[in-house]
């Protein structure tokens, strides 16, 4: 009986500590690297911790520099840098990796600022350990799709595949 109780306590504690069960969500299509409109998203007030991205624009952080800034709804977009990484940028099989994000500025510098983050593979999705950015307006980018234009629709409500909704 004591063994069963201890086993259940172990599972409960493990579940509570597993970043895959975070309740902090990012659901903002404006963070898409395809978004060139500067809506001034600012992550300098972001609470440090694990986040799951659930936006229809995509959950992956871009791995290519958004040259000249002004992407992802902000002035200085942070993207996932591949410098000094061998192999995949994203982890697999439930593992956690340490990675560096770069902030691209509007003068063409792809890595004006850096912030170290962590990424965990949760099977069907990833979670990110994010820290506040420095200064405004700077924010993390996620995804590469945009909502369908007015009058068009798709199975996800996002590109690609937007078609005339009146058919």
């Amino acid at each position: 009986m004591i063994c069963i109780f201890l086993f259940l306590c172990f599972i409960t504690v493990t579940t509570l500590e597993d970043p895959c069960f975070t309740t902090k969500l990012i659901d903002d299509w404006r963070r898409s690297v395809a978004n060139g409109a500067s809506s001034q998203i600012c992550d300098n007030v972001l609470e440090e911790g694990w986040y799951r991205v659930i936006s229809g624009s995509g959950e992956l952080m871009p791995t290519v520099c958004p040259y000249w800034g002004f992407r992802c709804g902000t002035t200085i977009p942070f993207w996932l840098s591949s410098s000094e990484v061998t192999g995949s940028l994203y982890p697999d099989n439930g593992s956690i990796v340490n990675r560096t994000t770069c902030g691209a500025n509007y003068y063409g510098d792809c890595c004006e600022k850096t912030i170290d983050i962590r990424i965990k593979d949760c099977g069907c999705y990833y979670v990110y350990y994010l820290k506040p950015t420095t200064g405004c307006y700077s924010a993390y980018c996620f995804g590469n799709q945009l909502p369908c234009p007015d009058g068009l629709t798709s199975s996800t409500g996002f590109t690609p595949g937007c078609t005339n909704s009146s058919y």
Side-chain angles (χ1 to χ4, degrees):
M1 185 65 124
I2 292 175
C3 289
I4 293 172
F5 175 74
L6 291 176
F7 178 73
L8 291 175
C9 288
F10 173 76
I11 289 176
T12 302
V13 170
T14 302
T15 301
L16 292 176
E17 293 176 1
D18 187 340
C20 293
F21 295 100
T22 184
T23 58
K24 295 179 185 174
L25 304 175
I26 294 177
D27 183 8
D28 190 346
W29 70 265
R30 298 174 304 161
R31 291 177 180 271
S32 170
V33 73
N35 179 19
S38 184
S39 54
Q40 303 305 329
I41 298 172
C42 191
D43 283 339
N44 71 337
V45 294
L46 188 73
E47 181 182 329
E48 184 172 333
W50 288 100
Y51 288 83
R52 179 175 176 190
V53 180
I54 59 168
S55 172
S57 66
E59 72 172 61
L60 297 180
M61 191 175 277
T63 58
V64 176
C65 173
Y67 286 100
W68 311 112
F70 295 105
R71 305 306 279 172
C72 310
T74 194
T75 305
I76 301 176
F78 276 81
W79 59 283
L80 191 58
S81 172
S82 63
S83 68
E84 301 180 21
V85 174
T86 56
S88 175
L89 282 171
Y90 282 90
D92 57 8
N93 300 322
S95 61
I96 297 175
V97 294
N98 297 315
R99 293 293 182 254
T100 299
T101 62
C102 286
N105 71 16
Y106 38 84
Y107 298 116
D109 184 348
C110 281
C111 206
E112 176 188 38
K113 301 176 181 182
T114 63
I115 299 175
D116 292 330
I117 66 166
R118 301 174 78 197
I119 306 170
K120 180 173 183 185
D121 172 25
C122 294
C124 298
Y125 60 93
Y126 296 100
V127 290
Y128 301 83
Y129 189 89
L130 303 176
K131 301 173 185 175
T133 58
T134 55
C136 248
Y137 291 95
S138 59
Y140 296 101
C141 293
F142 292 101
N144 60 3
Q145 303 301 318
L146 292 173
C148 290
D150 288 342
L152 301 180
T153 189
S154 73
S155 61
T156 63
F158 286 81
T159 58
C162 298
T163 59
N164 191 325
S165 59
S166 60
Y167 292 116

